[in-house]
């Protein structure tokens, strides 16, 4: 699938693009997936697109820290798994949805000859965490079916949020990754989360194109409604 590169993360062009589009990180809000206490939903996304000037959309303090921590988290993920990971920060447009975009955290390449037991994960993640070894097997299956290149989305949360990751990953993060895969033209992703200071978990997510395009249609409609209100 051909990718439609818009720009790179940071700078005025990126801020303007985010202002005029609904991006993958806003997917959960648009779809009503986020916890109510977060105070973010479709209406708040529309309001932000209508009222905020581009210069007001600069990175918040939490976004800055997230970007800086991301480098370290991607490095740790690479050490734990033996996969090659590099930061990307490219912003792509979803095919067929001109107002839907996604900025990627990283690109992941699986070295030739890599196997799930290539790294001694037991010694690092403890024998009580066999589910991460199972994730390595799932990743190996994805590589066999869809190739050695995927994307990485990095998250950081507190140890008090560990329950959200106990049985998989929060649905709003999976929705975000589905949009990222659609925009990037890739078939699989590793969703990586560092929990507190001494725990890291990840999930392998496959592109579900039908679901991703349904999400993108909702995001496109949201963007169009926001821009129509801005231009009145």
């Amino acid at each position: 699938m051909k990718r439609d590169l818009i720009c790179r993360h940071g700078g005025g062009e990126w801020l303007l693009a985010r202002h005029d589009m609904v991006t993958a990180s806003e997917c959960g809000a648009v779809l009503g997936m986020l916890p109510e206490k977060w105070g973010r939903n479709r209406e708040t996304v529309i309001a932000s697109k209508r009222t905020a000037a581009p210069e007001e959309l600069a990175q918040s303090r939490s976004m800055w820290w997230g970007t800086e921590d991301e480098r370290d988290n991607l490095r740790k993920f690479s050490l734990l798994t033996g996969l090659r990971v590099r930061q990307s920060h490219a912003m792509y447009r979803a095919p067929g949805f001109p107002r839907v975009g996604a900025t990627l955290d990283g690109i992941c390449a699986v070295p030739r000859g890599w196997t799930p037991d290539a790294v001694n994960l037991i010694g690092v993640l403890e024998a009580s965490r066999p589910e991460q070894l199972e994730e390595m097997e799932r990743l190996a299956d994805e590589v066999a079916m869809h190739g050695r290149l995927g994307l990485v989305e990095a998250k950081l949360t507190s140890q008090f949020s560990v329950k959200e990751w106990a049985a998989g990953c929060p649905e709003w993060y999976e929705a975000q990754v589905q949009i990222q895969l659609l925009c990037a033209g890739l078939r699989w992703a590793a969703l990586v989360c560092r929990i507190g200071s001494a725990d890291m978990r990840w999930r392998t997510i496959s592109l579900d194109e039908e679901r991703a395009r349904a999400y993108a249609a909702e995001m496109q409609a949201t963007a169009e409604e926001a821009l129509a209100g801005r231009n009145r």
Side-chain angles (χ1 to χ4, degrees), residues 45-115:
V45 171
I46 290 174
S48 71
K49 306 296 179 185
R50 286 181 175 174
T51 61
E55 58 268 21
E56 296 171 348
L57 295 175
Q59 286 193 10
S60 65
R61 181 172 60 181
S62 61
M63 288 174 68
W64 184 88
W65 280 105
T67 300
E68 292 302 307
D69 288 337
E70 174 189 298
R71 294 188 181 92
D72 188 48
N73 291 338
L74 293 180
R75 183 184 66 84
K76 286 185 172 69
F77 176 67
S78 180
L79 288 173
L80 287 171
T81 61
L83 305 176
R84 294 174 184 160
V85 180
R86 63 173 176 82
Q87 282 188 296
S88 170
H89 290 170
M91 185 178 189
Y92 295 103
R93 192 187 317 273
F97 302 95
R99 294 295 180 183
V100 176
T103 303
L104 308 187
D105 285 350
I107 296 294
C108 180
V110 179
R112 295 189 186 280
W114 177 90
T115 60

Side-chain angles (χ1 to χ4, degrees), residues 130-143:
E131 72 275 8
Q132 293 301 164
L133 297 178
E134 294 174 4
E135 282 300 320
M136 301 299 286
E137 297 286 352
R138 294 190 188 99
L139 178 58
D141 291 342
E142 285 297 317
V143 171

Side-chain angles (χ1 to χ4, degrees), residues 8 23 29 40 49 54 60 71 74 82 84-85 114 144 155 160 166 180-182 193 201 207-208 217 229:
R8 297 285 176 179
T23 62
R40 293 170 54 204
K49 306 296 179 185
S60 65
R71 294 188 181 92
L74 293 180
R84 294 174 184 160
V85 180
W114 177 90
K155 300 295 183 185
F160 302 107
Q180 289 173 324
L181 287 168
L182 182 67
C193 185
R201 303 189 183 191
L207 173 65
D208 182 336

